[in-house]
Amino acid sequence: MKLFECQHCGQLLYFENTRCERCGHVLGYLPDRAELSALAPHDGQRWRPLIAPEQPQRLCANAAHDACNWLVPANAPGTFCRACRLNRTIPDLGPPDHLLRWQHLEAAKHRLVYALLRLGLPVVSRFDDPQTGLAFDFLAGSSDAPVVMTGHDNGLITIDIAEADDAERERIRQEMGEPYRTLLGHFRHEVGHYYWDRLVRNGVWLGAFRELFGDDRQDYGESLARHHAVGPPADWQERFVSGYASAHPWEDFAETWAHYLHIVDTLDTAAAFGLRVRPAAGRDPALATEIDFDPYAQGDFDALLQAWLPLTYAVNSLNQSMGQPDLYPFVLSPAVMGKLRFVHGLIGR
């Protein structure tokens, strides 16, 4: 994730900021420019971004719920931004915890859409393209339907809003034996299924996919049932980025896709802070890195890996110094690196 700067006073800004803490300017994100801009009042409900005053904008309708800081061109139809227009269903906002959980969901979803747009991937709402568009249902369990199944179905991604509760998510993480479970990770995983349908299914990449990930024609329901009954194979770390990835080639792809987005966006943040790693001990040059490139525009996959691995060694050590578990609890085997390279090539082309 990039860092931003107030065009009025030079204050450092972050992606979710809605007001500059130094000068008080209202802020809005311009998705087509990937920039957060200070705003000047124009007329009525319209604003002029200081970064592009010739382009009047409106705040997304979900700004009224403190759930969005993105902008909509003043002459555009509709009241929702590019990210919020993807919503098909939001939870009942009457219960206070529902509003808070939905705000957390939106924060994660907006980070997801930021990355998809930076990568140049098609991001089209189902309202605009009923056949191949993307949509989200954010649902809460009820007495009639206490269980909400998070998942993807033909472009519709359903997320249980209970995942936005830290305690509940941690309970499920431990119950499922997962080393890592986050809201943003859910979004990245489920959208991986969507892009498999868009970019791989019945296309020129399908043969290469099956060589790397396996035959997607094997029964999906039976594969998941077997995985939940007996767990991943003993040697799963040699071939998969996570235990769950071993359940079926579709899940392998979605986990690998999510992991690729983890890598690129975290490197983007590291680059924004000007981070470099130069260990004071050890003589292996592969332990050092300087992230002086745009990870979203980097065509060389090896360059991403050469920056990523030293960064993970450093951040894991920092976490351990604070008595925390590894920030990055994964092992990238050669087979997994090959799958990540596939995703990199798929997106790049």
Side-chain angles (χ1 to χ4, degrees), residues 217-349:
R217 291 167 293 190
Q218 60 185 278
D219 189 277
Y220 180 68
E222 290 181 4
S223 297
L224 286 189
R226 181 172 60 252
H227 172 79
H228 290 307
V230 303
D235 64 346
W236 68 264
Q237 285 189 317
E238 297 178 13
R239 293 175 289 139
F240 303 98
V241 73
S242 70
Y244 186 58
S246 68
H248 187 275
W250 288 342
E251 297 302 341
D252 192 6
F253 179 83
E255 287 284 271
T256 305
W257 176 280
H259 211 87
Y260 181 80
L261 295 188
H262 293 339
I263 290 172
V264 171
D265 200 51
T266 305
L267 286 175
D268 195 35
T269 305
F273 276 96
L275 294 185
R276 66 177 188 169
V277 178
R278 291 288 186 273
R283 300 179 183 180
D284 186 350
L287 296 176
T289 188
E290 184 171 2
I291 307 160
D292 56 358
F293 56 88
D294 179 357
Y296 280 102
Q298 178 56 261
D300 184 358
F301 178 73
D302 290 331
L304 293 177
L305 274 188
Q306 288 164 10
W308 179 242
L309 295 177
L311 180 64
T312 63
Y313 306 150
V315 296
N316 281 350
S317 295
L318 290 171
N319 260 35
Q320 291 159 11
S321 295
M322 290 291 293
Q324 295 291 326
D326 285 349
L327 180 67
Y328 184 73
F330 299 95
V331 175
L332 297 184
S333 67
V336 171
M337 291 182 189
K339 293 173 182 178
L340 288 167
R341 188 184 298 275
F342 175 90
V343 171
H344 178 76
L346 180 67
I347 292 173
R349 298 179 187 177

Side-chain angles (χ1 to χ4, degrees), residues 11-207:
Q11 171 76 356
L12 176 67
L13 303 174
Y14 299 95
F15 182 63
E16 286 87 8
N17 287 161
T18 58
R19 184 178 296 274
C20 177
E21 294 299 322
R22 178 182 291 172
C23 69
H25 268 72
V26 173
L27 305 172
Y29 182 73
L30 292 158
D32 292 339
R33 302 174 69 109
E35 290 291 349
L36 187 64
S37 180
L39 306 176
H42 179 47
D43 58 36
Q45 299 298 312
R46 299 198 299 173
W47 301 81
R48 288 196 180 274
L50 298 194
I51 198 172
E54 74 284 357
Q55 299 174 4
Q57 304 281 325
R58 291 177 280 113
L59 292 171
C60 175
N62 283 336
H65 302 290
D66 292 327
C68 180
N69 67 344
W70 286 29
L71 296 168
V72 183
N75 59 357
T79 60
F80 294 106
C81 71
R82 291 192 68 178
C84 291
R85 186 163 173 73
L86 301 174
N87 292 349
R88 192 181 78 160
T89 308
I90 66 170
D92 174 12
L93 301 182
D97 61 326
H98 282 198
L99 175 60
L100 182 61
R101 292 179 183 184
W102 179 54
Q103 289 168 339
H104 290 326
L105 287 165
E106 287 297 339
K109 190 197 75 186
H110 280 66
R111 282 185 171 253
L112 170 73
V113 177
Y114 163 91
L116 301 179
L117 294 175
R118 287 284 309 274
L119 289 168
L121 288 161
V123 182
V124 181
S125 169
R126 178 171 285 199
F127 293 108
D128 300 317
D129 184 347
Q131 298 302 314
T132 63
L134 178 63
F136 292 90
D137 280 352
F138 299 137
L139 305 179
S142 66
S143 56
D144 295 329
V147 177
V148 174
M149 296 299 295
T150 292
H152 167 266
D153 182 16
N154 193 32
L156 176 62
I157 293 174
T158 301
I159 304 285
D160 183 354
I161 69 167
E163 287 285 349
D165 179 82
D166 292 341
E168 177 64 11
R169 190 172 60 255
E170 176 63 15
R171 182 190 68 78
I172 297 173
R173 187 192 70 79
Q174 293 192 26
E175 186 177 280
M176 301 293 289
E178 299 172 340
Y180 175 91
R181 188 182 182 95
T182 67
L183 270 184
L184 186 52
H186 275 314
F187 279 100
R188 288 172 172 166
H189 173 97
E190 298 303 340
V191 89
H193 288 297
Y194 170 73
Y195 283 108
W196 189 89
D197 286 345
R198 292 293 309 273
L199 305 179
V200 180
R201 182 192 295 272
N202 300 325
V204 297
W205 290 83
L206 185 58

